Amino acid sequence: MYVFNWKTGKTIWEVGICEEDKYGQYKQYADTRCRIVDAAYVLKISKSDIFVYDITPGRQSDDSDYDMTGSPICQLQLPLLAAGYRVYDIDCYVHRPPSSHCLPHFECDPDLTVLVLEDEVCGRHEDNTKVVIFVPLSLIRKVADRCRTSRGSGSTTTPCNSPPPKSVSWDEWAEHGARLILLSRDSGYAAVSTLGSRVTLTFEHIVPQQQPHNDSEVFLFDVHPHARAMLEHALEAPGMAQRMSVSDCFTATDAPIFQGPVRSTLPYRVTRKVVPNRVCYGIVHVLQDGLGVDFDH
């Protein structure tokens, strides 16, 4: 994985995604993802953790084209899974609001931009569950700043002498700053789109009478710390309970996939839209002041 300065063409960060197993063989993890937080941090996202790397300009040496950061400054743990469950596939999305002079009257606050993690968890009986996590980039930046300060921001490190990353449990870093949603295998989930703090989850509108072409059902989430001031009824939209589970605390009773209780209390509000069946499957996009839809011609 590489991060480039597109203005200078310089490689400012590089890391491998291969690890050595107990037999001395190197294996590559194709499920690893990479996302940029800002000019200071980049993320390497695995099936169980988010690794935060420091890419600030001061870390680059004068006698090298790039500084390969050998160790992340912190390791943010995702919720631990119960025995018999594993993450089959991962994906992640982030889309900052554009900066332009041609903006609508309403603008998304770029400081509220969220990272959306999408994990496919499978169990012994193929009862797959989709775990969707909303994480504000500002939260990751805050935790990373704290970890960088504690390890000494002025010190120079190389891949050989870098201290191990600080491991931060989910309860410690995400309980009050993130939001977790569970989707069952038969929820009809189709796609996700995000812009700033707003995220759409699109589902097949499964109505037998409308076969073979069903409308799409779209839930638009606005996830940010100030959403708690919104009306209480905005915490749930019609039909939401049939599609997903949202809770401040998932326990073994309602979420057996987790090793223990998982808390996430980031405020949100949600609205529901139905997209006509003539619209192409799953292609709904979040815009600055509404939703955009790609039509099937």
Side-chain angles (χ1 to χ4, degrees):
M1 291 181 176
Y2 302 88
V3 172
F4 297 93
N5 182 327
W6 64 272
K7 292 183 179 181
T8 64
K10 188 175 183 179
T11 305
I12 59 175
W13 178 80
E14 173 187 350
V15 68
I17 56 173
C18 293
E19 295 182 7
E20 187 175 0
D21 61 21
K22 62 181 179 179
Y23 303 107
Q25 301 295 319
Y26 284 90
K27 51 186 178 180
Q28 181 171 346
Y29 292 94
D31 291 326
T32 305
R33 301 289 185 266
C34 178
R35 292 293 182 270
I36 295 175
V37 176
D38 54 21
Y41 300 116
V42 64
L43 309 178
K44 188 177 77 169
I45 302 168
S46 71
K47 291 182 176 181
S48 58
D49 307 273
I50 300 175
F51 296 90
V52 185
Y53 289 81
D54 184 357
I55 58 170
T56 50
R59 295 185 58 86
Q60 299 174 34
S61 58
D62 296 332
D63 57 350
S64 175
D65 290 335
Y66 62 87
D67 171 32
M68 184 179 74
T69 304
S71 175
I73 59 174
C74 60
Q75 176 182 354
L76 309 180
Q77 297 179 10
L78 298 179
L80 299 176
L81 299 181
Y85 292 91
R86 64 183 180 88
V87 176
Y88 173 75
D89 191 23
I90 65 169
D91 219 327
C92 56
Y93 310 87
V94 62
H95 188 181
R96 296 170 184 78
S99 299
S100 171
H101 297 295
C102 301
L103 290 174
H105 296 296
F106 174 83
E107 298 181 18
C108 296
D109 185 348
D111 291 336
L112 300 179
T113 299
V114 298
L115 169 73
V116 180
L117 305 179
E118 190 180 274
D119 292 355
E120 185 83 23
V121 178
C122 60
R124 289 164 291 188
H125 306 292
E126 297 185 356
D127 48 344
N128 290 22
T129 301
K130 183 82 72 173
V131 180
V132 180
I133 306 175
F134 304 144
V135 182
L137 293 182
S138 59
L139 173 63
I140 296 176
R141 190 181 301 114
K142 180 180 179 180
V143 177
D145 285 345
R146 187 165 60 242
C147 292
R148 183 169 63 175
T149 300
S150 65
R151 74 187 255 156
S153 58
S155 60
T156 302
T157 63
T158 68
C160 297
N161 66 11
S162 294
K166 175 178 174 55
S167 182
V168 188
S169 68
W170 171 269
D171 290 344
E172 186 179 351
W173 77 272
E175 177 177 339
H176 300 295
R179 172 60 66 176
L180 188 147
I181 296 175
L182 300 182
L183 312 176
S184 64
R185 183 179 184 181
D186 56 357
S187 66
Y189 173 72
V192 61
S193 176
T194 179
L195 178 67
S197 65
R198 293 179 294 164
V199 183
T200 60
L201 301 180
T202 302
F203 299 81
E204 298 174 1
H205 197 177
I206 305 173
V207 181
Q209 291 79 3
Q210 295 183 350
Q211 295 291 346
H213 300 293
N214 297 323
D215 293 345
S216 293
E217 193 171 34
V218 181
F219 292 91
L220 173 61
F221 286 83
D222 195 6
V223 191
H224 57 83
H226 312 299
R228 194 173 297 280
M230 306 297 181
L231 298 176
E232 278 298 315
H233 70 262
L235 297 178
E236 185 167 339
M240 183 173 166
Q242 287 72 44
R243 300 293 194 181
M244 66 193 79
S245 297
V246 184
S247 175
D248 287 353
C249 181
F250 286 105
T251 64
T253 302
D254 48 25
I257 66 172
F258 296 125
Q259 191 177 103
V262 176
R263 297 175 179 82
S264 63
T265 58
L266 179 65
Y268 70 92
R269 64 192 300 262
V270 60
T271 56
R272 171 182 174 269
K273 298 292 183 182
V274 175
V275 181
N277 59 17
R278 66 178 179 274
V279 176
C280 185
Y281 171 76
I283 306 180
V284 178
H285 305 282
V286 185
L287 305 178
Q288 288 272 53
D289 54 354
L291 299 178
V293 181
D294 287 344
F295 285 87
D296 186 16
H297 296 289

